[in-house]
Amino acid sequence: MAVPESIPIAHEPDSRTSTIGRFSGGQFFASITYAFPDGFAMGDGWEEHKQLFVVLHRFDPEGHHQESDIWCAGTWAEQRLRPYGVQSVVARADARLQELLAGLREREYVGIAVRPFQLTAAGVTFGLITECHGEDGDGEADWAELYPDGLGFSAPWDGEYDT
């Protein structure tokens, strides 16, 4: 089954899609996610390259990407040095996410349907990116993945994700 023009994403409270929905300007997908820069090769010092991002993607009512607010709260190495308190990387990320969500007027948490998009920030790919195999895909299904969160969407395109 081909990738639909707009890909449904189900709102699931207490899961990785708990901060998605609609607001007065359209639709949104917000998350906190760790990511390495594109092309990073694991090795010594990896902790300095693993960054925690706060992401807010905004879409119009039809699911076209409008803009993204992407902010780096710090690295895994920083989080390990200061794991607790309001200055920890995770606490800063949580505070920033709450600030961004508070700025969405008439916000409601519900399922959304958005079109594929892609951008790069801080050397990291962000977006909902499709992978289509066509008829000669050796039986592999078409799918879409949210980067860098690692959420995969596929047929029956009901909004549920795999990791």
Side-chain angles (χ1 to χ4, degrees):
M1 179 183 274
V3 175
E5 198 171 284
S6 288
I7 299 165
I9 303 174
H11 172 255
E12 296 181 25
D14 302 320
S15 78
R16 294 181 59 196
T17 58
S18 64
T19 50
I20 69 170
R22 297 187 179 280
F23 72 111
S24 62
Q27 303 178 76
F28 68 92
F29 190 111
S31 70
I32 297 175
T33 187
Y34 274 106
F36 287 103
D38 294 348
F40 176 76
M42 192 61 83
D44 290 340
W46 65 268
E47 299 93 339
E48 293 292 333
H49 297 278
K50 185 177 182 180
Q51 301 171 84
L52 186 62
F53 290 96
V54 179
V55 181
L56 174 63
H57 299 299
R58 292 179 191 89
F59 307 90
D60 68 15
E62 290 77 39
H64 296 97
H65 179 255
Q66 299 296 297
E67 63 183 341
S68 294
D69 186 314
I70 299 169
W71 181 74
C72 181
T75 66
W76 178 250
E78 291 174 86
Q79 176 62 27
R80 290 184 62 205
L81 286 174
R82 209 174 314 125
Y84 307 106
V86 296
Q87 288 305 312
S88 74
V89 171
V90 170
R92 291 194 314 253
D94 286 336
R96 175 71 174 173
L97 179 64
Q98 294 312 310
E99 176 185 312
L100 290 172
L101 292 170
L104 298 173
R105 291 189 354 241
E106 301 174 29
R107 177 183 73 245
E108 64 175 324
Y109 296 108
V110 296
I112 60 175
V114 299
R115 296 168 187 260
F117 70 100
Q118 182 175 345
L119 61 118
T120 302
V124 176
T125 298
F126 292 85
L128 184 61
I129 302 169
T130 60
E131 185 168 323
C132 299
H133 300 283
E135 292 190 22
D136 60 341
D138 294 330
E140 252 188 277
D142 294 343
W143 58 284
E145 184 166 335
L146 186 70
Y147 284 87
D149 300 73
L151 305 182
F153 302 90
S154 60
W157 304 106
D158 57 6
E160 294 188 13
Y161 64 86
D162 288 320
T163 57

